[in-house]
């Protein structure tokens, strides 16, 4: 298929069907597909779109909408959004009906507990990909990314603090 709109829509439909832990868990594969396989954008553009999606209020799936916009304009944004939402809606509806029937069974609770580490692993893979992509493997940027992550993990302070520090360091030309 030579149609970018169709290819992107099918890829996002597929990713939405396997998104354990939310659509954010599929970001590394979306990045691989649109940057490295199709060449529709650079890693830097993808990282910028991801950053915009995270800075925007709303769900994590906004990254798919922005990628769709970058690849195919308004039709791309609309189809990417639908491709992200529709499978999830159907799966959520079916899962809730299934959980209503089987939620108290021991095997069901075991499966629920088993899915958690998978979701966490996929989200950590997303974080690793974005850290490597946005830092350009430059030691100062990697150190800042690691310090920000550590700060957020061990304190209950606002995530705006490391963001402000990074902005100040960038404005001062230190990054």
């Amino acid at each position: 298929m030579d149609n970018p709109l169709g290819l992107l829509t099918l890829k996002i439909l597929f990713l939405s069907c396997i998104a354990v832990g939310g659509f954010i868990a599929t970001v590394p594969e979306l990045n691989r597909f649109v940057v490295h396989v199709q060449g529709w954008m650079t890693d830097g553009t993808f990282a910028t779109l991801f950053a915009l999606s995270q800075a925007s209020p709303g769900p994590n799936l906004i990254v798919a909408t922005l990628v769709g916009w970058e690849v195919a304009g308004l039709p791309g944004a609309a189809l990417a959004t639908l491709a992200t939402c529709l499978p999830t809606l159907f799966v959520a509806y079916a899962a809730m009906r299934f959980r209503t029937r089987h939620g108290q069974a021991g095997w069901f609770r075991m499966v629920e507990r088993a899915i958690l580490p998978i979701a966490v692993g996929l989200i950590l893979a997303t974080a690793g990909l974005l850290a490597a992509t946005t830092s350009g493997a430059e030691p100062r940027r990697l150190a800042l990314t690691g310090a920000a992550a550590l700060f957020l993990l061990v304190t209950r302070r606002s995530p705006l603090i490391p963001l402000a520090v990074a902005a100040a360091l960038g404005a001062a030309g230190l990054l």
Side-chain angles (χ1 to χ4, degrees), residues 45-110:
T45 300
F46 187 90
T48 299
L49 294 176
F50 181 79
L52 283 171
S53 74
Q54 296 304 292
S56 303
N60 287 326
L61 65 90
I62 292 172
V63 68
T65 304
L66 294 174
V67 167
W69 180 272
E70 182 72 21
V71 170
L74 183 59
L79 283 175
T81 303
L82 284 173
T84 305
C85 294
L86 290 179
T88 305
L89 290 173
F90 289 125
V91 169
Y93 177 75
M96 288 312 300
R97 288 187 52 98
F98 189 82
R99 188 168 200 253
T100 299
R101 289 188 190 140
H102 305 287
Q104 298 305 316
W107 64 267
F108 186 84
R109 290 183 184 179
M110 184 174 66

Side-chain angles (χ1 to χ4, degrees), residues 121-163:
L122 290 170
I123 292 168
L124 288 174
T126 299
L129 170 81
L130 292 171
T133 299
T134 57
S135 71
E138 184 183 322
R140 289 178 296 173
R141 290 181 178 180
L142 283 172
L144 179 61
T145 301
L150 185 63
F151 174 83
L152 293 172
L153 285 172
V154 299
T155 71
R156 295 210 174 261
R157 305 293 304 262
S158 171
L160 294 177
I161 294 170
L163 184 64

Side-chain angles (χ1 to χ4, degrees), residues 1-2 4 7-8 31-41:
M1 177 184 282
D2 245 358
L7 277 173
L8 182 64
N31 172 272
R32 186 193 71 78
F33 181 73
V34 300
V35 174
H36 303 288
V37 174
Q38 296 300 326
W40 291 329
M41 65 187 71

